[in-house]
Amino acid sequence: MSAGVPAELLAERRAAFQERIGEGIAIVPGARLQTRSNDVDYPFRQNSDLLYLCAWPQPEAIAVFSKDRFILFVQPRDPGAETWTGRRPGVEGACERYGADEAHPTAEFQERLPGLLGDVPRLFYSLGAEPRLDPIVREALREVRRHTRGGVRAPNEIVDPYGILHEMRLYKDPAELALMRRAAEISYEGHHEAARLCRSGNTEYEIEAVLDWVFRKRGSTGPAYPSIVGSGDNATILHYTENGDTLREGQLVLIDAGCEYEAYASDITRTYPVDGRFEGIARDVYEIVLRAQADAIEKAGPGVALTEIHDVATRTLVRGLIELGVLEGDAQELMEQENHTRFYMHRTSHWLGMDVHDVGEYHVEGKPRALEPGMVFTIEPGLYFGAEESKCAEKLRGIGVRIEDDLVVTEAGCDVISKNIPKRIDEVEAWMRS
Ligand SMILES: [Mn+2]
């Protein structure tokens, strides 16, 4: 059982979900093992939807919900297999420890499904999300329809359950927020160790290794996504994860790394100067991004949409690009013409939760969604001048800066839960020495 979210809270979530599916039946599959090669698998990470509803930790599970029943299909106990891959709670454990009203081996899902779909008006199932299940579900529906003359009704609606579930996951409760704060604290420690290592001659991969080490040492499961440690031009590659180069004097190092704690992610970026001092044009670029982030954070709060926050950050970045001599003209016009996207090509924010790019709609009824208390998101402006960029001065080439924090929306505004990690120039420089 997860040490993270208490069992009573999981039961409350299930009850809320069950209430919303009404007379329907919902199928929520878990993750499967993915083969790395031959008989070796990639490390297993459970699907967040299943974790959210019941914390079941093992592969090949399928949860089925009706208004008043929670059925879990799981890998059964198997002493032979368990010797190789670990102990299983099994069918008994699913009921005793994970709150299932009923449990069966996953191998029985196919034969039991038609029996679950009879006289159910609505099936909540996400076609295509887990392709291995699609043919099983289709066949079960056909089977039920074959019996309609005998008086059994087949579902006449198929609805994606994630509309309900992801809406629930978008609003974090206090228990979840506590885990996310803990994730941010551990990431703080990781960033501190990493910042101290940003010295010429050290390598990107040893910094990555130190992040991993601190994350694990502090009880997290590890990075919530592959850590980005990009020095010099590598910082201009948005999802750089090779982390194979050596740090050199005069460079900046962009570190985008956050741990996952009890299935909740943090997502934090800082940009550090190699050898501990921001200098020259790199310092100017850094100040611009820092200002853009401060302006965006200032704007954020309940009732504000992520698009508005993005516009504020972008406006400051565009003004900065004018100051740097990269763009010429009126900031508003330049923004409208999207001239800046060559140097700022991503959005400023995304939802954060059990998944680093968490679930939840960004638009509601065609309009950008306003922030509400309990939502968690990032603010991460950046500027990137690639080594091969022709539309900027040579001295800017090979500079990439991003500054990213995690924010919880409160009644009054926003709480920046990663704010302890320094970002002001004097504070970063002092922190790297301490
Ligand atoms: Mn992010």
Side-chain angles (χ1 to χ4, degrees):
M1 179 62 75
S2 162
V5 173
E8 311 82 72
L9 181 55
L10 295 170
E12 278 174 32
R13 289 174 181 173
R14 288 193 295 272
F17 179 61
Q18 286 169 302
E19 194 180 315
R20 295 190 58 181
I21 63 173
E23 301 299 318
I25 286 268
I27 301 172
V28 181
R32 313 185 69 190
L33 287 166
Q34 304 290 330
T35 304
R36 175 172 162 160
S37 65
N38 304 321
D39 59 347
V40 176
D41 297 314
Y42 283 104
F44 180 73
R45 190 343 182 124
Q46 183 60 282
N47 163 300
S48 297
D49 292 305
L50 200 71
L51 282 179
Y52 181 79
L53 290 169
C54 68
W56 182 262
Q58 298 195 338
E60 316 295 335
I62 305 167
V64 177
F65 298 89
S66 68
K67 189 174 58 179
D68 47 19
R69 263 197 311 173
F70 162 38
I71 308 169
L72 208 45
F73 289 86
V74 301
Q75 289 177 317
R77 297 293 314 264
D78 177 343
E82 288 177 38
T83 298
W84 290 90
T85 57
R87 306 282 174 238
R88 297 176 177 178
V91 169
E92 302 76 14
C95 294
E96 284 161 19
R97 289 156 52 199
Y98 291 86
D101 299 307
E102 191 182 324
H104 307 283
T106 303
E108 293 178 18
F109 178 72
Q110 185 159 5
E111 67 179 82
R112 288 181 179 271
L113 186 57
L116 295 168
L117 296 180
D119 290 330
V120 169
R122 197 170 295 114
L123 168 62
F124 289 87
Y125 176 70
S126 184
L127 273 168
E130 190 55 76
R132 77 186 153 127
L133 283 189
D134 288 355
I136 295 174
V137 172
R138 270 203 309 270
E139 189 47 49
L141 285 168
R142 255 202 296 268
E143 173 76 20
V144 181
R145 287 173 196 143
R146 269 198 287 274
H147 293 94
T148 48
R149 267 186 293 168
V152 180
R153 278 190 309 146
N156 53 23
E157 272 183 62
I158 301 179
V159 181
D160 195 318
Y162 299 131
I164 296 172
L165 208 42
H166 293 176
E167 193 65 18
M168 290 172 64
R169 281 177 53 192
L170 179 57
Y171 299 86
K172 276 72 176 175
D173 54 51
E176 294 179 285
L177 293 176
L179 297 174
M180 295 190 75
R181 282 174 204 282
R182 181 74 189 126
E185 273 169 36
I186 295 171
S187 297
Y188 163 92
E189 294 186 43
H191 269 264
H192 200 183
E193 291 295 336
R196 288 174 175 139
L197 281 178
C198 290
R199 302 189 177 284
S200 44
N202 287 347
T203 59
E204 294 169 348
Y205 49 86
E206 69 185 298
I207 294 173
E208 180 187 6
V210 159
L211 288 161
D212 288 345
W213 177 71
V214 175
F215 290 171
R216 292 293 280 139
K217 191 165 77 131
R218 294 290 176 226
S220 115
T221 39
Y225 53 94
S227 299
I228 297 169
V229 183
S231 59
D233 184 48
N234 297 335
T236 71
I237 298 161
L238 300 178
H239 289 169
Y240 173 79
T241 53
E242 285 168 47
N243 302 346
D245 279 347
T246 301
L247 277 50
R248 293 197 309 271
E249 214 181 306
Q251 288 179 327
L252 295 180
V253 191
L254 185 156
I255 300 182
D256 185 342
C259 77
E260 178 183 83
Y261 183 72
E262 292 293 346
Y264 285 83
S266 55
D267 182 8
I268 301 163
T269 310
R270 289 291 184 269
T271 307
Y272 304 103
V274 172
D275 296 328
R277 281 190 63 81
F278 286 97
E279 280 172 313
I281 195 79
R283 187 182 178 102
D284 299 338
V285 175
Y286 186 89
E287 288 281 23
I288 291 165
V289 176
L290 186 62
R291 213 185 308 146
Q293 207 225 16
D295 292 348
I297 290 174
E298 174 81 33
K299 174 79 184 171
V304 178
L306 295 181
T307 46
E308 297 175 78
I309 294 169
H310 178 65
D311 287 345
V312 166
T314 304
R315 186 166 298 113
T316 304
L317 292 176
V318 168
R319 286 185 183 137
L321 287 166
I322 296 170
E323 283 166 34
L324 289 170
V326 175
L327 296 181
E328 259 178 69
D330 173 69
Q332 190 59 36
E333 273 173 34
L334 288 166
M335 261 179 83
E336 281 160 20
Q337 291 157 9
E338 305 206 323
N339 281 306
H340 59 280
T341 56
R342 201 175 173 102
F343 311 102
Y344 182 44
M345 54 295 276
H346 58 80
R347 308 290 301 176
T348 303
S349 302
H350 57 77
W351 305 130
L352 182 69
M354 301 186 85
D355 295 317
V356 63
H357 293 171
D358 207 34
V359 293
E361 296 289 348
Y362 287 89
H363 286 76
V364 175
E365 289 162 3
K367 288 199 198 111
R369 177 172 211 154
L371 292 171
E372 293 171 64
M375 294 176 172
V376 184
F377 68 104
T378 66
I379 292 188
E380 49 177 311
L383 283 176
Y384 311 92
F385 305 95
E388 293 169 15
E389 178 57 59
S390 58
K391 306 265 190 221
C392 71
E394 201 180 331
K395 62 182 175 181
L396 281 167
R397 293 178 200 157
I399 292 176
V401 174
R402 179 164 64 253
I403 303 172
E404 174 178 32
D405 280 300
D406 302 344
L407 293 90
V408 175
V409 185
T410 62
E411 299 289 341
C414 277
D415 185 8
V416 185
I417 60 175
S418 50
K419 62 174 174 277
N420 290 345
I421 306 179
K423 52 194 173 185
R424 241 176 51 195
I425 281 189
D426 55 338
E427 289 174 355
V428 173
E429 291 180 350
W431 202 52
M432 290 178 74
R433 288 192 300 268
S434 67

